[in-house]
Structures are given as structure tokens and as C-alpha cells.
Amino acid sequence: MPGSVLPTGPVYGPDALVIRVDSGGEGRTAADVRVWPDVRNADLAADGSPTRYYFQPPRVTLAPRPGTTDLAFSATVMVRAPAGPHPQYLGGSCKFTCTAALPGDVLTRMTRTLATHDHPDPPARIASLFPHRNGAPEPELTMLPLTGNTVSCVVEQPPAGPGPLFLSVQGGPGGGIGVQALSSFLVSFSPAAAEAVVTRLRDAAAPPFTIRNVLTEQFDTGAETFTVDLRVAPDKLHEVFAAASSPGEPWPAGETATTAYRSGVDSGAVRITRAETGDTPLDPALRTWLGDTDAVRKAVFVMVKDKLFDIAAATDTAPQDTGRKDPPAPAWWSEVFGAARVTLKGEPVGGGELHEVVPLRGVVSVEQTIEGDLEELAAAARAGLGEYLTVIAI
């Protein structure tokens, strides 16, 4: 009887169906939404149960203010009185709230698209997991399951100038893992920043902020075991890491570490192949996807932990308050280093290639990043600047 088969989770790997949707609202461009099928969709369809699909939010956007269609953004800047045509800016701040939720009826329209197959052909590897047919129950569409969401606001700095444009960013770093989760920020301005923000808003442009959500998503290999063959050249990886963070300096556990690690994969310092297929090179997209799994990252850093890093107990001395909070270390980093103080050695210890085999079976956790640049604020400011900007003369 229908209901005897239960969905397990999105099929592993980078292969996804891409559905282009109109995000709705002036100032929001169309978005490409990636959709993965459930690994048991063929069994669900045969059972007469609804097939299930999982979407990744395509980007971060400004949330609406509660009870209105206005955007949750407000900036206040101060100028020296009397305020003339060329005021002297004293500073200010802005606060805003972001979400990764799909706007309006996008979810409903995407579900209908899946039901009618009104979409491009999915990649061949997962095509059999799109078995919905006329007369079958309406398919289910939900967000990819998350176990973590690290949120940050990155402020674009001018290429030259007397100092930082923006004084501080407060907000984050841990974001919610639900589809309707909100993240709020408070950005304090220097006088130069206050002028820059006012100029941008009056020109119907968004402030130079990028909101970045690093999502820890869960996938499933089903009955398949994917055996990853890892080969690491510590000397080459040390070169890559040293370019990201100087030896002796505290090695960051967040975005910088992730970027340096990916550079190691791209440069060949970390070689990822599949044991089942020997030394055959993997498709670059699959190699990157596997490299971003918690299991593979953890294995690489365990392999090089003693060869590349000096590890000391965390100090009780509080760092100087810069007004900026560093994002928390991801789970895999904490499993390798705990709360220790990690610095890169001046040179690697020992030589030779390191080898490890990592089996992936069942639930697999992967980091993927989505971003937003508040583009919808430009159109909103054009329509009603006073709703988003307050200038105070003092």
C-alpha cells in the first residue's frame, strides 16, 4: 500500500536539475535554482507515494519588514548642521535582515514544474530519479536538509584610502537552518562610509555589502559506497597554505581555511580520485564536490596535522575588540583541532606523499555557499528613498 516506502534524502553529488525562476519583485533578477531528487524516488513512485525533491536556496535576499512589503533595511547618517548641498558627514549606521527563503509563490510554481516535467532534461546520472507521471500524487519539494549555516557580511573596501571604510559589522555568525531563518546585521559607518552609502542610495544603488551563507548540507549515497582515494603532497600543500596565512600566524578555521584548502585541491597538492575506478581523473565538478565533504576535509587535515601545523592550547587572553566577530569553526575543523591555537609551521616536517582511503556511504555532509548583494534595495530606494534612509543634522 502507498506509504510503505519513505524518502531517504537527496542523492549525493554535484549533479542537479537547474530550474530558472522569476524571483518576483522589482529589482530581483531571475534565479537558477538547483534541485536534487530523493535517492529513493524510483521506489517511491513504484509504491504510489509522492516523489520528493530538494532545492538549494539560490541566493540571499533582504527580508520584508513584518506586516509590510517594504524591505528590512534602514540607514541613519549624521551630518554637521547646517546641512548644505555638500554636507560634512560625521558617521552613521545601518541595520538590515536577510533571508534565503524563496519569495512569493516560487515554491508552488517549481512543484508544478516538476509535476509536469516542464523543465530541461536532468543530468543522465540522476535522470531515473525523476519518475513522476500523470495521475501520480503531487511531488514534494523542500529545502536541502541542513546541519549548519554560518552567516557573514562582507564589506567591499575601496582599493585605496586613509583606512577602513566601514568601522564594524555586528551580526551572525550562526544562522538558522530552517527555510524561513533570518539573519540580522548592524554596520557602523565612518564619515567616508556614511557619504558612500548616502550617495549609493540616492543613485538607486545598494551599499557594497555581500551576505554570505556557508551551508552544511546533507546528501545520501543510498545503497552505493563511494570510496575516495586521497593522495596529499605535504610540501606542495604547505606552499598553498603559506600563501593564505603566514607561518606563525594563527591559522583561521573559517573562510580563509576553506579557500586555501580548495586551492590545494585545485593545484593538485590534494589529489582526489575514486578507488573503484583506479587513477582515472574525476570530473572537476565531482572532484570539487567530494573535496567539500566533511569526511574528506577532515581526513586531509588529520593526515597533515603534525606535518604542517604547530598546535597549542587556546589562550585565555581575549583578542582586541575590533567590532567584528569571526564565524565559528566548522564541525570537521573542531573534530581535528578542537579549540587549540593552530599556526602553520615554517616548513613541513618530513616528505613523501600521504595516502588515505575514505569510504562515503549513507549520509554525507557537504559545505556549499550562497550569497546576495542586496540588489533589490536599489529598486526599493528608487521608489521610496525616505523608507530606507534618514539623515540627521547635529
Side-chain angles (χ1 to χ4, degrees):
M1 61 180 295
S4 60
V5 178
L6 298 177
T8 300
V11 64
Y12 79 92
D15 296 320
L17 171 68
V18 178
I19 299 177
R20 170 149 287 217
V21 296
D22 176 2
S23 298
E26 186 182 358
R28 292 179 178 173
T29 57
D32 288 332
V33 184
R34 304 180 75 201
V35 177
W36 283 262
D38 192 273
V39 74
R40 299 198 69 187
N41 263 357
D43 295 332
L44 289 167
D47 183 61
S49 299
T51 53
R52 178 173 290 186
Y53 304 89
Y54 305 84
F55 71 89
Q56 181 186 70
R59 61 190 175 204
V60 184
T61 61
L62 283 169
R65 292 175 183 168
T68 75
T69 58
D70 293 334
L71 300 177
F73 178 96
S74 62
T76 301
V77 300
M78 295 167 289
V79 299
R80 189 174 303 281
H86 302 288
Q88 179 183 353
Y89 289 89
L90 303 176
S93 64
C94 73
K95 56 184 179 180
F96 55 93
T97 300
C98 292
T99 180
L102 294 176
D105 64 346
V106 169
L107 193 63
T108 300
R109 288 189 279 124
M110 287 182 60
T111 302
R112 194 76 230 129
T113 295
L114 290 167
T116 59
H117 290 276
D118 186 22
H119 54 67
D121 291 336
R125 187 178 70 86
I126 61 173
S128 63
L129 299 179
F130 290 80
H132 185 84
R133 294 295 179 264
N134 291 336
E138 185 86 351
E140 299 173 346
L141 179 61
T142 185
M143 188 170 74
L144 284 166
L146 301 181
T147 60
N149 178 15
T150 302
V151 185
S152 60
C153 174
V154 181
V155 179
E156 176 188 337
Q157 300 290 350
L165 183 61
F166 296 87
L167 300 182
S168 67
V169 177
Q170 299 177 40
I177 59 175
V179 68
Q180 299 294 339
L182 302 175
S183 301
S184 297
F185 295 90
L186 172 65
V187 181
S188 299
F189 303 151
S190 67
E195 182 175 6
V197 168
V198 170
T199 300
R200 281 177 174 257
L201 290 175
R202 287 178 173 168
D203 289 343
F209 306 156
T210 297
I211 310 305
R212 183 170 295 145
N213 286 25
V214 181
L215 309 174
T216 303
E217 303 168 342
Q218 287 190 323
F219 294 81
D220 201 290
T221 68
E224 185 177 2
T225 296
F226 198 112
T227 308
V228 178
D229 189 276
L230 281 176
R231 298 182 185 273
V232 180
D235 54 341
K236 294 180 180 178
L237 193 58
H238 184 274
E239 293 179 7
V240 174
F241 285 174
S245 184
S246 300
E249 295 293 326
W251 222 69
E255 182 181 334
T256 302
T258 296
T259 301
Y261 165 78
R262 286 175 175 163
S263 296
V265 173
D266 292 340
S267 69
V270 178
R271 291 175 53 216
I272 300 174
T273 58
R274 185 172 184 179
E276 291 88 347
T277 57
D279 203 33
T280 304
L282 292 174
D283 175 81
L286 178 58
R287 183 192 65 197
T288 298
W289 192 92
L290 289 170
D292 283 342
T293 61
D294 281 5
V296 171
R297 286 190 185 188
K298 178 181 175 181
V300 170
F301 277 87
V302 167
M303 292 165 70
V304 302
K305 178 179 179 181
D306 296 328
K307 293 182 174 293
L308 301 188
F309 297 104
D310 290 319
I311 304 167
T315 62
D316 295 329
T317 304
Q320 183 180 359
D321 184 8
T322 62
R324 178 175 178 174
K325 297 181 180 179
D326 293 327
W332 63 267
W333 177 277
S334 298
E335 290 175 11
V336 177
F337 296 106
R341 183 178 185 272
V342 180
T343 58
L344 187 67
K345 294 179 181 291
E347 57 185 31
V349 174
E353 185 179 73
L354 305 177
H355 180 227
E356 185 74 35
V357 173
V358 182
L360 300 179
R361 181 179 176 85
V363 177
V364 178
S365 295
V366 181
E367 275 191 9
Q368 300 195 78
T369 301
I370 60 173
E371 296 183 343
D373 59 5
L374 312 189
E375 64 173 356
E376 61 274 18
L377 182 60
R382 184 185 302 112
L385 181 61
E387 293 291 331
Y388 304 101
L389 174 64
T390 301
V391 180
I392 302 174
I394 60 175

